[in-house]
Amino acid sequence: MTRKKNNIPEHARVSFISVSSSEDEGTEQTERKRGSSISSMKRTRLKDKEKMSSPLTNTSLNTPRKKADSKSGDELELIRARANSVKKEHQQLMNAFEEEKQKAIADKERKTMSMLVSTPPAKVRNHRKHHSAIVTNSDISHIISGMLEEGNDFEDEFGLKERSPKLESMRDLISQEIQPDNLGESDNMSKNDETSFADENDEKVNDDNEVDVSDDTENNQNESPVIEDEDIARSNSMNVLVNRNDEDEGRNENTSFFEAETRICSYENLPLPKETESRDILSLNADDIHFTVIPLFNTRNSDAETLLSSDDDVISDVFLMERMEELNNTLEKDPRAIQHYRYSFQHVVQKQDNFGDIEWWGRFMMNSESLMVNNTNEVAEKLSMGIPNPIRGLVWQLLANAKNEDLEEIYHQLVKESSPHEKMIRRDITRTFPSHEFFTGGDGQEALFRVMKSYSLYDKRVGYCQGLTFLVGLFLLHMPEAESFCLLVKYMEDYEMRATYKPSLEGLHHNLYQLDRLIVENLPSIAKHFNDEGVLSTMYASEWFMTFFTYRFPLELVDRMFDVFFGEGITSLFKLCLAVLKGNENLLLKLNFDNLLQFLKQSSFKIFMDDLSSLINLSREFKVTRKKLSHLSKEYEKFLNKSNPLQEKVMSLEDQELSSMKFDKDNLSEAYLNIQKQIQKSNQEVSYLRDENGMLNQQVEQLKCLIESHEQGRGAAKLEDTINHLREENIKLNKELQEFQTELITTKINYAECENERLELRKAIEKLKHQ
Amino acid sequence: MEMISSPSMLKPIQIKLVLLGEAAVGKSSLVLRFVNNDYQENKEPTIGAAFLTQKCKVQDKIIKFEIWDTAGQERFHSLAPMYYRNAQAAIVVYDITNSDSFDRAKSWVKELQRQATNEIVVALAGNKCDLHDSRQVESEVASSYSSEKGLLFLETSAKENENVNHLFKEIAKKLPLESFSKKQVEEQTQNSINITRRQDSSISQCSC
């Protein structure tokens, strides 16, 4: 076992998981007793079947097979012995199952049983915990063999004596598995002998009469191709795991089981489908990059009948095989692709996710083209019920005819080139689903970046448009990047969405116009209310069209919308818009502008979340045909081409405006001439005024002089007065002076006379002295 | 500026405000900060346009900002006129760490001055000013450009809540509120239909 594991790359291991609905503890123990593991022989058988049935991989069909002679008699004996023990166990299981069935029939609620599908029994769980991350083959073979026995019992009990070839083939495989010797041998063979392995397998099956081998299965084997090393290596890693549970509460344990042990996928809130008792699940161990397939194991009477009556009785196996093959191919090409699967299972949603009629989906996968052409209504019906999430991405691609190797090749080329939009894309990548786990890590962001960059190179006219990242983000949750790229190309080209993203956004304007008109016709009260409140479709529906609702709507709801869209085309998008409005009609009519916009963008999906189908069913009530859309489109074209009455009015208004402008122009030129004349006049006036001004200035000067002289004159008079006054005074003073002079003279005379007298007196005195 | 936390008897003056600017400069983040006082690291790009409202009290008057937050990518340009037509205020946002976004802001200013109403109050906001280490547009350059064009100018950070409320406050101050309130009363009495005229009962809260 260890060796086998080592033989193959970790990322290429594929498991085969079967799920069934009912079991009891006794069965479980029986299963545990079988200490065998699934050999590569069994896996080879699975591989063979796949090869035979898959149109993609049947290149080696009809390759001549060697006769297997290598088996020794001893080994055959061993096989027989082992087969006998299987038979005994079969009996035990029948008994155990009989009890179980009685119980189930008594309460007639086998539906509940069916839901319990995915929880492994506690013992298996515990057992598994002792192993490393991957479910070991021996674990799985215990379980599957028990399941197969039980499945047959169930069928027998329900009178389905004819055994399902699918069950038979699985039983086959298990019986081979049970041979412990096969393990090593097959291992060796896988290395050394390309051809004998399958033959040996056949031989063993044929020799062992205890195991019923249906003709179908045998024929299939006869046609099995030569097995190549690579195939063996891959099939070596196929594990079969059966998880069952009878108790509802077990489902929660199941979650932890998967997460703790294999991290296959999150099963929280797994829906309890009403119609199916078992389901197929493609799953992946993220850490070990380990694909797991859980095929249908149908135990319900009616479904079993369907199964048996169908010619494609191994169909679900086949398509799952095909899917595994595809996943493996993808992995070989691009190991990074694994990321997508990890998240695609975590993001699935669980509430209300209807796994639907898995048989039908199996048939669809095989004959999608003819079904889409011949059974249009049936396909539409199934799509409206929702595509089982594990195959959703694949079905989308089939619906969109997006499986295109040439395109993928182009992608692988483009991804190496650099785009002028890179900077802008890079800026938006971290802003796409920023709270989604897948897009917060580097891997998801890088994948998104590469797809967007490649598309911007592939379609240079569109380049990169904001909003596309959300769309592609959703694709990447369902499929690897090259396939996402192809689907994006189809979405843009075949689904007529390309114009929406052109630099002019012409498609968006087109869509919004069409939507407006459809609202008026289908939801007149809403149309009126919106009109009253001034709400235009561009205000709330731009993001619906540009991101296909992924911008705000929960992705599980958008998945369902895409299921319908890829089947029906662009008409469904309008129906969905109308359904969103219709579903909220009562509330919408009560809201005013502010709240309307807020509600339409943020909360309009909430009413559908309890039952995702309600939106889809509501949308199917609207009649929007391609003819209607193209009619509206033409109407819009006319509107744009100005032949629309409104536009004509605008045109005539424009004409009027033009003629009035011409009239205005004439008037204006006249007015201009007048003004020029006036200006000339004014100029003359100005010069006249200047002259006048000059004269006035002179006068002013003269006056100034006059005033000055006048003022001077006044001053002179004053002076004269003063002078006169002074003269008079002078005269007076002169007279006084004369008087004083005369007085002085007289005084001088008097003085002289006095002097004379004095002299005489002196002489007299002298004389007297002498005397 | 005082934000209103309870319904007021006063009739608010409705101001239609539009945010324009290059993609990823932080238009939505500015609005988110102003309206909800919140910040998200990797805000999704706006597709088409988003509409939000916020009431504030400025100088005894209650203003209700009706904010149109537009998509930044060039190809959404054709949708912008329907949002800035009849707008009383506009915030043109650029990213200080991206000189291209400043050029784009300039062309928006030019378009607004040519196409929008004459009385429109235009503010230029240099966002992400917390990232000064990778600054490409100098504050002085933007400031002198703004005064040349008659714009309000502030450097903001929606992340660090820097200048965001201040920006709206400055716009409110610059608006001719008197004439708006008169005009709106007239309109109401005439019972005319106006896209931007609606009443709402709930008033969002804003910290300021």
Side-chain angles (χ1 to χ4, degrees):
Chain A
M1 184 65 68
T2 320
R3 260 181 71 201
K4 273 197 282 183
K5 278 187 178 177
N6 292 341
N7 284 346
I8 53 158
E10 268 303 84
H11 69 269
R13 293 153 87 214
V14 175
S15 293
F16 187 81
I17 299 187
S18 177
V19 181
S20 183
S21 63
S22 59
E23 81 148 341
D24 58 27
E25 204 63 289
T27 315
E28 165 59 19
Q29 280 168 351
T30 319
E31 286 162 9
R32 296 284 318 284
K33 270 188 253 165
R34 301 170 207 252
S36 59
S37 54
I38 290 177
S39 70
S40 51
M41 191 178 283
K42 173 205 148 255
R43 292 175 213 112
T44 311
R45 280 284 308 278
L46 289 173
K47 191 68 202 172
D48 287 352
K49 261 201 307 183
E50 181 189 0
K51 286 224 164 194
M52 167 201 71
S53 321
S54 162
L56 299 175
T57 56
N58 62 1
T59 47
S60 51
L61 260 174
N62 303 323
T63 312
R65 306 166 64 234
K66 284 188 197 167
K67 202 66 197 164
D69 299 323
S70 59
K71 219 54 190 152
S72 74
D74 287 343
E75 281 173 289
L76 289 173
E77 282 303 314
L78 268 170
I79 294 165
R80 287 205 175 95
R82 197 61 201 160
N84 279 329
S85 81
V86 171
K87 200 181 181 185
K88 278 179 197 165
E89 281 171 14
H90 186 137
Q91 286 298 326
Q92 287 174 0
L93 283 167
M94 265 179 85
N95 295 338
F97 187 71
E98 180 62 27
E99 286 171 27
E100 182 65 27
K101 201 209 73 186
Q102 291 298 339
K103 239 174 25 181
I105 292 172
D107 59 16
K108 290 189 174 183
E109 293 205 24
R110 286 180 300 109
K111 278 180 194 171
T112 33
M113 290 166 61
S114 70
M115 301 151 170
L116 314 173
V117 163
S118 44
T119 307
K123 288 194 175 177
V124 177
R125 223 162 35 235
N126 292 337
H127 179 67
R128 288 163 48 78
K129 274 176 187 161
H130 298 298
H131 291 259
S132 53
I134 296 184
V135 184
T136 65
N137 288 348
S138 63
D139 285 335
I140 294 159
S141 63
H142 293 161
I143 304 164
I144 191 84
S145 55
M147 286 304 300
L148 289 166
E149 297 294 341
E150 195 178 288
N152 284 344
D153 290 347
F154 202 102
E155 285 180 330
D156 290 341
E157 287 305 323
F158 282 80
L160 306 171
K161 296 299 177 193
E162 193 185 335
R163 289 188 166 167
S164 158
K166 184 178 79 171
L167 297 181
E168 293 303 332
S169 62
M170 289 181 82
R171 178 198 295 274
D172 246 353
L173 300 172
I174 298 302
S175 71
Q176 300 301 325
E177 185 63 34
I178 286 161
Q179 291 293 348
D181 292 349
N182 289 350
L183 206 64
E185 197 176 320
S186 62
D187 207 10
N188 290 336
M189 275 190 282
S190 70
K191 284 179 173 173
N192 305 326
D193 187 336
E194 287 191 334
T195 54
S196 62
F197 191 43
D199 297 340
E200 180 191 338
N201 189 7
D202 265 357
E203 198 171 277
K204 271 202 277 177
V205 171
N206 293 334
D207 286 347
D208 190 352
N209 295 324
E210 298 299 329
V211 182
D212 288 335
V213 180
S214 73
D215 287 347
D216 280 56
T217 317
E218 201 172 349
N219 291 339
N220 292 347
Q221 284 166 353
N222 289 337
E223 288 169 17
S224 344
V226 173
I227 296 158
E228 293 166 10
D229 271 346
E230 187 187 312
D231 290 328
I232 291 169
R234 194 178 305 123
S235 57
N236 274 348
S237 66
M238 288 180 183
N239 301 328
V240 178
L241 167 64
V242 179
N243 301 319
R244 299 180 302 161
N245 190 14
D246 286 344
E247 297 301 320
D248 206 354
E249 60 262 27
R251 288 190 295 124
N252 293 334
E253 291 173 23
N254 178 39
T255 306
S256 61
F257 157 68
F258 273 120
E259 285 177 356
E261 294 293 314
T262 58
R263 296 199 212 150
I264 287 169
C265 64
S266 163
Y267 264 74
E268 292 150 307
N269 304 320
L270 194 74
L272 308 182
K274 288 168 188 153
E275 301 302 327
T276 54
E277 300 238 39
S278 53
R279 56 182 65 107
D280 290 14
I281 295 161
L282 277 162
S283 190
L284 172 76
N285 179 332
D287 288 344
D288 300 289
I289 318 185
H290 173 98
F291 285 113
T292 314
V293 181
I294 308 178
L296 174 69
F297 198 87
N298 202 326
T299 54
R300 233 186 73 164
N301 194 1
S302 59
D303 288 342
E305 273 170 342
T306 321
L307 180 69
L308 288 169
S309 62
S310 163
D311 287 339
D312 303 319
D313 35 30
V314 289
I315 211 154
S316 54
D317 286 6
V318 164
F319 87 74
L320 290 165
M321 289 295 123
E322 198 184 316
R323 179 64 172 153
M324 283 197 292
E325 173 67 14
E326 198 181 309
L327 294 175
N328 283 324
N329 287 339
T330 311
L331 272 181
E332 276 162 29
K333 277 189 208 157
D334 181 12
R336 282 187 308 233
I338 210 71
Q339 292 293 336
H340 308 280
Y341 294 102
R342 185 196 308 189
Y343 290 97
S344 75
F345 296 109
Q346 286 174 355
H347 125 271
V348 183
V349 190
Q350 295 118 36
K351 250 206 285 176
Q352 299 294 333
D353 189 5
N354 186 0
F355 274 67
D357 183 353
I358 206 73
E359 288 301 316
W360 188 89
W361 286 110
R363 239 178 11 252
F364 179 81
M365 303 277 272
M366 296 302 295
N367 311 302
S368 59
E369 278 176 34
S370 71
L371 274 171
M372 275 153 64
V373 173
N374 301 321
N375 298 37
T376 324
N377 290 340
E378 190 190 356
V379 172
E381 195 64 39
K382 292 290 179 191
L383 289 174
S384 72
M385 286 159 67
I387 301 168
N389 200 64
I391 56 167
R392 179 165 264 138
L394 194 59
V395 174
W396 285 357
Q397 292 173 60
L398 290 172
L399 291 168
N401 194 19
K403 282 266 163 215
N404 189 328
E405 282 177 21
D406 295 342
L407 258 183
E408 285 194 33
E409 192 47 46
I410 291 173
Y411 173 76
H412 291 300
Q413 287 300 317
L414 290 174
V415 92
K416 295 173 197 152
E417 297 173 22
S418 70
S419 161
H421 299 275
E422 254 171 52
K423 206 173 149 191
M424 197 184 248
I425 296 169
R426 190 60 80 185
R427 213 169 39 188
D428 284 345
I429 291 298
T430 52
R431 309 201 290 154
T432 304
F433 299 128
S435 52
H436 195 292
E437 193 192 349
F438 181 61
F439 297 103
T440 45
D443 295 333
Q445 290 186 356
E446 285 309 306
L448 186 53
F449 174 76
R450 285 189 293 267
V451 177
M452 291 320 305
K453 182 191 76 176
S454 306
Y455 188 80
S456 73
L457 289 164
Y458 175 80
D459 186 346
K460 290 189 173 129
R461 271 235 32 230
V462 167
Y464 168 69
C465 180
Q466 279 186 333
L468 279 175
T469 50
F470 290 89
L471 191 76
V472 175
L474 181 67
F475 291 173
L476 283 172
L477 292 172
H478 290 289
M479 64 198 82
E481 51 191 87
E483 296 176 24
S484 295
F485 172 80
C486 298
L487 188 59
L488 175 64
V489 170
K490 295 291 171 186
Y491 173 83
M492 298 292 252
E493 291 172 359
D494 296 357
Y495 287 83
E496 302 157 72
M497 297 302 287
R498 186 169 168 269
T500 307
Y501 303 95
K502 277 187 187 170
S504 58
L505 303 184
E506 61 187 62
L508 179 67
H509 294 295
H510 240 86
N511 293 343
L512 293 172
Y513 177 85
Q514 289 166 324
L515 180 63
D516 275 332
R517 294 299 312 273
L518 289 170
I519 294 172
V520 169
E521 284 173 25
N522 292 283
L523 304 164
S525 46
I526 288 183
K528 186 184 179 306
H529 183 61
F530 280 10
N531 188 45
D532 291 349
E533 290 294 322
V535 172
L536 306 174
S537 58
T538 165
M539 293 171 183
Y540 61 90
S542 297
E543 64 192 45
W544 292 358
F545 283 102
M546 299 209 74
T547 69
F548 200 94
F549 294 96
T550 51
Y551 191 62
R552 287 270 183 267
F553 280 42
L555 297 185
E556 61 263 36
L557 183 59
V558 183
D559 280 343
R560 294 290 302 273
M561 293 162 124
F562 263 125
D563 291 349
V564 179
F565 177 82
F566 281 123
E568 183 184 325
I570 195 165
T571 48
S572 64
L573 179 52
F574 287 96
K575 289 180 188 175
L576 288 164
C577 292
L578 292 173
V580 170
L581 298 175
K582 176 72 179 172
N584 293 292
E585 183 167 25
N586 291 338
L587 184 59
L588 287 176
L589 293 176
K590 288 178 200 151
L591 296 176
N592 60 25
F593 182 89
D594 296 7
N595 299 327
L596 268 174
L597 287 186
Q598 206 83 354
F599 177 81
L600 283 168
K601 289 186 170 202
Q602 312 277 352
S603 315
S604 51
F605 55 82
K606 284 184 183 161
I607 198 165
F608 307 109
M609 293 314 289
D610 286 338
D611 177 13
L612 302 182
S613 296
S614 61
L615 173 66
I616 308 300
N617 294 334
L618 193 56
S619 76
R620 282 156 66 86
E621 289 173 17
F622 291 101
K623 201 172 166 242
V624 180
T625 58
R626 303 194 71 78
K627 205 176 156 191
K628 177 76 194 164
L629 283 183
S630 71
H631 174 73
L632 289 175
S633 183
K634 276 176 197 155
E635 205 175 280
Y636 183 67
E637 290 292 337
K638 279 185 194 169
F639 176 79
L640 280 187
N641 291 335
K642 304 177 183 182
S643 49
N644 181 289
L646 195 72
Q647 200 62 33
E648 274 173 13
K649 208 171 169 186
V650 172
M651 280 264 285
S652 68
L653 279 172
E654 274 177 6
D655 285 344
Q656 279 179 19
E657 215 170 307
L658 201 69
S659 57
S660 76
M661 275 166 72
K662 270 181 192 164
F663 180 73
D664 285 351
K665 194 198 149 201
D666 294 343
N667 281 355
L668 282 170
S669 42
E670 254 180 61
Y672 174 73
L673 285 174
N674 287 345
I675 288 170
Q676 267 194 333
K677 280 177 193 167
Q678 275 180 359
I679 288 171
Q680 277 183 347
K681 257 190 204 170
S682 303
N683 280 344
Q684 285 174 353
E685 261 174 70
V686 165
S687 56
Y688 172 74
L689 286 171
R690 262 193 205 139
D691 294 344
E692 212 174 51
N693 196 22
M695 278 161 61
L696 287 170
N697 274 344
Q698 281 180 356
Q699 281 179 350
V700 167
E701 285 300 317
Q702 284 173 355
L703 284 170
K704 265 188 193 166
C705 291
L706 276 174
I707 290 166
E708 266 174 39
S709 55
H710 183 70
E711 276 183 3
Q712 278 172 0
R714 255 204 221 163
K718 260 188 192 173
L719 276 172
E720 248 173 290
D721 284 348
T722 322
I723 289 165
N724 289 338
H725 179 72
L726 287 172
R727 262 185 208 148
E728 281 168 24
E729 227 166 297
N730 202 21
I731 292 163
K732 233 187 205 172
L733 287 171
N734 277 340
K735 276 179 188 169
E736 267 177 57
L737 187 64
Q738 278 174 352
E739 280 171 25
F740 280 122
Q741 276 178 343
T742 25
E743 210 179 288
L744 184 64
I745 290 164
T746 52
T747 311
K748 273 185 179 173
I749 294 167
N750 285 342
Y751 176 74
E753 282 173 1
C754 283
E755 198 64 18
N756 286 341
E757 262 180 65
R758 194 188 58 96
L759 283 171
E760 279 176 24
L761 280 167
R762 211 170 249 208
K763 281 172 187 171
I765 290 167
E766 290 282 329
K767 270 179 199 168
L768 280 164
K769 272 180 181 177
H770 287 300
Q771 291 169 352
Chain B
M1 183 159 54
E2 186 185 331
M3 301 294 172
I4 313 271
S5 56
S6 63
S8 161
M9 294 305 289
L10 282 167
K11 215 156 197 69
I13 303 168
Q14 278 135 1
I15 301 297
K16 186 178 167 187
L17 183 147
V18 61
L19 275 104
L20 301 165
E22 169 80 347
V25 295
K27 295 180 292 299
S28 301
S29 293
L30 281 175
V31 179
L32 187 65
R33 174 62 77 186
F34 176 61
V35 173
N36 290 340
N37 192 24
D38 194 8
Y39 176 76
Q40 287 173 15
E41 189 59 52
N42 286 311
K43 188 111 180 60
E44 294 105 331
T46 305
I47 308 295
F51 178 77
L52 296 99
T53 62
Q54 173 66 293
K55 285 189 187 178
C56 321
K57 198 174 173 189
V58 181
Q59 299 157 359
D60 301 334
K61 288 190 184 63
I62 296 173
I63 289 183
K64 184 180 160 200
F65 280 111
E66 299 178 326
I67 303 164
W68 283 104
D69 174 22
T70 62
Q73 199 186 3
E74 175 65 37
R75 65 188 67 192
F76 289 92
H77 194 140
S78 60
L79 298 175
M82 75 171 272
Y83 298 112
Y84 67 64
R85 197 182 302 140
N86 305 324
Q88 285 105 15
I91 302 176
V92 178
V93 188
Y94 69 94
D95 170 1
I96 66 155
T97 67
N98 178 355
S99 55
D100 291 345
S101 74
F102 185 57
D103 294 335
R104 183 100 180 86
K106 283 182 185 169
S107 75
W108 274 118
V109 169
K110 208 182 268 178
E111 178 166 339
L112 281 174
Q113 293 188 334
R114 204 173 53 231
Q115 312 269 20
T117 51
N118 288 334
E119 308 84 36
I120 191 166
V121 173
V122 182
L124 183 69
N127 197 32
K128 307 192 190 179
C129 70
D130 51 299
L131 303 174
H132 32 70
D133 288 344
S134 34
R135 178 190 284 278
Q136 286 187 3
V137 183
E138 289 307 321
S139 183
E140 295 74 27
V141 175
S143 177
S144 68
Y145 168 78
S146 300
S147 47
E148 180 193 324
K149 297 282 175 186
L151 316 173
L152 281 169
F153 171 66
L154 277 175
E155 285 198 344
T156 57
S157 167
K159 188 177 183 179
E160 304 292 331
N161 195 8
E162 218 170 292
N163 270 343
V164 179
N165 289 324
H166 187 52
L167 175 68
F168 283 86
K169 182 188 174 183
E170 290 300 311
I171 291 169
K173 275 195 202 161
K174 210 177 165 187
L175 288 163
L177 296 178
E178 288 294 345
S179 69
F180 285 146
S181 63
K182 267 184 205 165
K183 214 185 272 177
Q184 282 177 8
V185 166
E186 278 166 23
E187 279 174 6
Q188 276 157 19
T189 50
Q190 287 165 7
N191 202 18
S192 63
I193 296 166
N194 182 345
I195 286 178
T196 62
R197 191 182 53 73
R198 289 153 314 274
Q199 306 305 316
D200 75 346
S201 50
S202 64
I203 302 171
S204 50
Q205 195 157 6
C206 170
S207 72
C208 201

